Amino acid sequence: MQPRSRPAFWFLIILLSGNVASARPNILLIVSDDQGYHDLGLLNPDIQTPHLDGLAEEGVRLTNFYVTWPACTPSRGSLLTGRYPQRNGIYDMIRNEAPDYGYRYPTREEYDVTFERIGGMDTREVLLPQILKRGNYQSGIYGKWDLGTLKRFLPTARGFDDFYGFVNTGIDYYTHERYGVHCMYRNNERTEGDRGLYATTLFEREALRFLKETSGETPFFLYVPFNAPHSSSALDPKIRSTVQAPDEFKKRYPPVKKEWVNGMRYGKKANVPSKEAKRRDYRAAVTCMDASIGRILDALDEKGLRDNTLVVFMSDNGGSGSADNSPLRGHKAQMWEGGIRVPCLVRWPNKIPQGMVSDAFLTSLEIVPTFAAAAEVPLPKGIVYDGFDMMPVLQHGFPSPRIDMYWKRRDQVAARIGQWKWVNMPGKGGGLFDLSMDPGEAHDLSSEKPEILQRLRDGFKRWEQTMEAAEPRRPFRDF
């Protein structure tokens, strides 16, 4: 009888091994671009986001979630490394300033030697898909990359298996040009085959293709960083001043009285969209993105992947332009809460509660450790991570281990320790605020709480010294 039992025994071992492998969750990370803190339909009846609202109802909505920088590039660098911008080297934007003044590059060759083209994240940094590769994850990214345009910086050189999207901070939604230079890529090569098609639906198309081609034998990491609702990176004042959105979605909002008004652009008089039109365009772009998100979530359901897929949605920084960041103060590019506190939704069926709202102090630095823990993949040794696995906070309501957070953008700085926040933006304001009572940062308590103010300043100084002592990284550090 003993020999006959061996095949069954080994079959059981193989079966159990297969179950362990397949038990690793799929991971879907969706990022919007410059979306306001208040711009979810469940909070704001003036905007339509039924699919994001549904995601919130099926998971946890985080109300105290921060990013590491108040604008695109450094925020995304931290998201994929789990490290402060000052530690991973991307602590400012990889972009050119000349187009802000209306300059159009006459040739691609001129653009190709500018910083926006040659700058990128230090290749010594280990990104999230490289970590997940240890768990046999297949990774795809469809949308905005923003961490370097040279081949050594592109997604397929940084752990992703497939890439379709643009490589810098913004494009025209239809021409896919950035100030006259076409910037859409498939893997390592530029592609103009989709010129004229709306970027949001293209990124949706590629995400759906990735899911369709997924075999189910190995887990996946699908990263969908939309550029919506970021304003268009076009030189035409009528486009540059607003967010491009399909007419279908504009029609879902009340008509505006006046489309165009006399204004200024590049220091000259120009016809620009009215404030009312810009607000409609912004909301239409968000609603269009929401529809694409809905179809991606539907595809998970159709493949029977909902229960074994961890989904996270967030914005890369605070809203700007026509975004609504209320009740927070400020906007993108500022250290006020409206620049760094963002909407974040998390869904993982049967793992975290449904319909819960959490005010736990959490940040985008927690994303890499959380995904690695969920995938049962150890973080690389010898690398300092600035976050932690936040799943116990979401699953069991445990207190967040995070007690402090620090920000630095050139001469603008901020620190949060517990409920207290210190802001210092020379020429633009600052002060000490009790966020537990004053999330809108309206009441400066600097003179009333000098000892607390000093504690935050001291904390920031220690953090700054720690960052300066970290092993330097390109492209900004002088070493």
Side-chain angles (χ1 to χ4, degrees):
M1 296 294 293
Q2 187 175 359
R4 293 175 59 187
S5 67
R6 286 178 180 170
F9 171 77
W10 287 113
F11 176 77
L12 180 61
I13 292 296
I14 293 170
L15 181 63
L16 289 174
S17 299
N19 285 342
V20 170
S22 64
R24 294 185 192 273
N26 304 304
I27 298 172
L28 171 58
L29 174 60
I30 305 172
V31 177
S32 62
D33 199 344
D34 295 0
Q35 184 171 352
Y37 182 79
H38 197 58
D39 285 327
L40 294 172
L42 59 89
L43 301 174
N44 181 356
D46 293 329
I47 196 164
Q48 302 167 29
T49 60
H51 302 289
L52 288 175
D53 297 349
L55 191 64
E57 293 170 1
E58 295 165 355
V60 178
R61 179 166 65 88
L62 302 177
T63 62
N64 230 337
F65 187 86
Y66 292 85
V67 292
T68 61
W69 218 75
C72 310
T73 316
S75 175
R76 292 160 188 270
S78 288
L79 179 64
L80 292 180
T81 62
R83 289 153 58 86
Y84 274 114
Q86 290 73 16
R87 200 188 294 279
N88 68 42
I90 300 290
Y91 55 81
D92 213 308
M93 301 289 288
I94 302 176
R95 71 185 299 272
N96 298 333
E97 306 295 336
D100 292 342
Y101 303 95
Y103 183 77
R104 180 186 180 94
Y105 295 101
T107 65
R108 188 186 301 277
E109 286 74 17
E110 180 178 345
Y111 176 71
D112 282 348
V113 294
T114 64
F115 179 66
E116 183 172 292
R117 175 70 173 137
I118 64 176
M121 173 163 276
D122 196 301
T123 55
R124 290 171 293 177
E125 285 295 301
V126 179
L127 273 60
L128 179 56
Q130 294 168 299
I131 296 171
L132 294 177
K133 191 71 71 178
R134 300 180 179 190
N136 202 29
Y137 275 73
Q138 295 295 305
S139 299
I141 167 177
Y142 308 106
K144 177 174 174 174
W145 172 236
D146 202 19
L147 293 177
T149 72
L150 299 181
K151 289 181 179 179
R152 63 180 176 273
F153 299 134
L154 290 177
T156 51
R158 310 309 295 264
F160 286 99
D161 299 295
D162 194 42
F163 167 54
Y164 176 90
F166 64 98
V167 293
N168 37 33
T169 63
I171 55 172
D172 180 294
Y173 282 69
Y174 288 98
T175 69
H176 314 148
E177 292 181 357
R178 178 165 176 77
Y179 310 133
V181 179
H182 194 271
C183 294
M184 196 72 87
Y185 277 63
R186 184 174 294 282
N187 295 319
N188 288 351
E189 303 296 332
R190 285 191 180 96
T191 173
E192 297 194 31
D194 291 322
R195 182 186 285 270
L197 301 179
Y198 191 65
T200 297
T201 54
L202 289 175
F203 304 147
E204 171 205 328
R205 181 194 72 187
E206 295 298 313
L208 293 177
R209 176 185 60 80
F210 178 87
L211 291 175
K212 183 178 181 179
E213 294 174 358
T214 298
S215 66
E217 296 178 0
T218 59
F220 65 77
F221 169 46
L222 174 55
Y223 177 36
V224 190
F226 290 103
N227 61 317
H230 192 291
S231 59
S232 171
S233 293
L235 289 175
D236 184 343
K238 287 187 175 182
I239 301 175
R240 176 75 185 276
S241 303
T242 190
V243 184
Q244 292 165 288
D247 288 341
E248 170 194 351
F249 291 91
K250 291 181 182 182
K251 291 177 181 177
R252 298 190 184 189
Y253 289 92
V256 301
K257 295 180 180 178
K258 184 179 287 189
E259 286 284 345
W260 314 104
V261 296
N262 294 325
M264 298 290 292
R265 174 59 74 179
Y266 314 127
K268 302 177 181 178
K269 293 182 178 180
N271 242 3
V272 298
S274 68
K275 184 176 181 180
E276 192 180 14
K278 287 192 286 187
R279 185 181 300 114
R280 176 208 58 201
D281 295 348
Y282 169 87
R283 292 171 177 170
V286 172
T287 301
C288 179
M289 177 187 66
D290 179 82
S292 289
I293 292 171
R295 285 186 281 271
I296 294 171
L297 296 176
D298 287 345
L300 292 178
D301 292 347
E302 291 166 7
K303 290 184 69 73
L305 298 174
R306 170 193 281 254
D307 289 349
N308 196 37
T309 301
L310 169 57
V311 180
V312 174
F313 166 84
M314 57 176 283
S315 180
D316 65 338
N317 47 252
S320 65
S322 298
D324 183 354
N325 292 319
S326 60
L328 308 179
R329 180 179 181 179
H331 50 75
K332 175 185 178 178
Q334 295 182 333
M335 292 300 179
W336 301 120
E337 292 288 280
I340 53 180
R341 195 196 290 201
V342 300
C344 182
L345 311 173
V346 185
R347 185 185 81 179
W348 196 4
N350 305 315
K351 296 288 187 179
I352 64 174
Q354 293 186 10
M356 187 174 84
V357 178
S358 171
D359 65 353
F361 183 9
L362 297 166
T363 77
S364 59
L365 292 170
E366 276 71 86
I367 294 295
V368 167
T370 299
F371 286 0
E376 299 181 357
V377 175
L379 292 172
K381 295 181 179 179
I383 298 178
V384 177
Y385 289 93
D386 294 307
F388 52 86
D389 176 13
M390 66 180 180
M391 202 51 65
V393 179
L394 305 184
Q395 288 178 322
H396 309 296
F398 292 161
S400 172
R402 181 163 295 282
I403 59 173
D404 58 3
M405 185 72 179
Y406 303 94
W407 297 266
K408 180 176 175 61
R409 179 182 184 264
R410 303 173 190 174
D411 64 343
Q412 301 181 23
V413 302
R416 176 175 172 177
I417 300 178
Q419 71 199 60
W420 299 98
K421 184 182 173 195
W422 168 59
V423 177
N424 183 23
M425 295 189 296
K428 299 179 180 179
L432 175 70
F433 306 94
D434 181 354
L435 296 179
S436 67
M437 304 291 291
D438 181 24
E441 297 168 295
H443 307 292
D444 181 6
L445 301 176
S446 298
S447 59
E448 299 174 41
K449 304 285 185 180
E451 70 288 351
I452 294 177
L453 176 61
Q454 191 59 49
R455 180 157 65 94
L456 269 71
R457 285 174 168 169
D458 290 344
F460 179 84
K461 185 176 181 179
R462 287 191 296 271
W463 171 81
E464 194 170 37
Q465 291 170 343
T466 299
M467 294 299 108
E468 289 174 354
E471 184 180 33
R473 292 287 191 261
R474 296 179 178 88
F476 299 107
R477 282 286 293 271
D478 183 10
F479 67 98

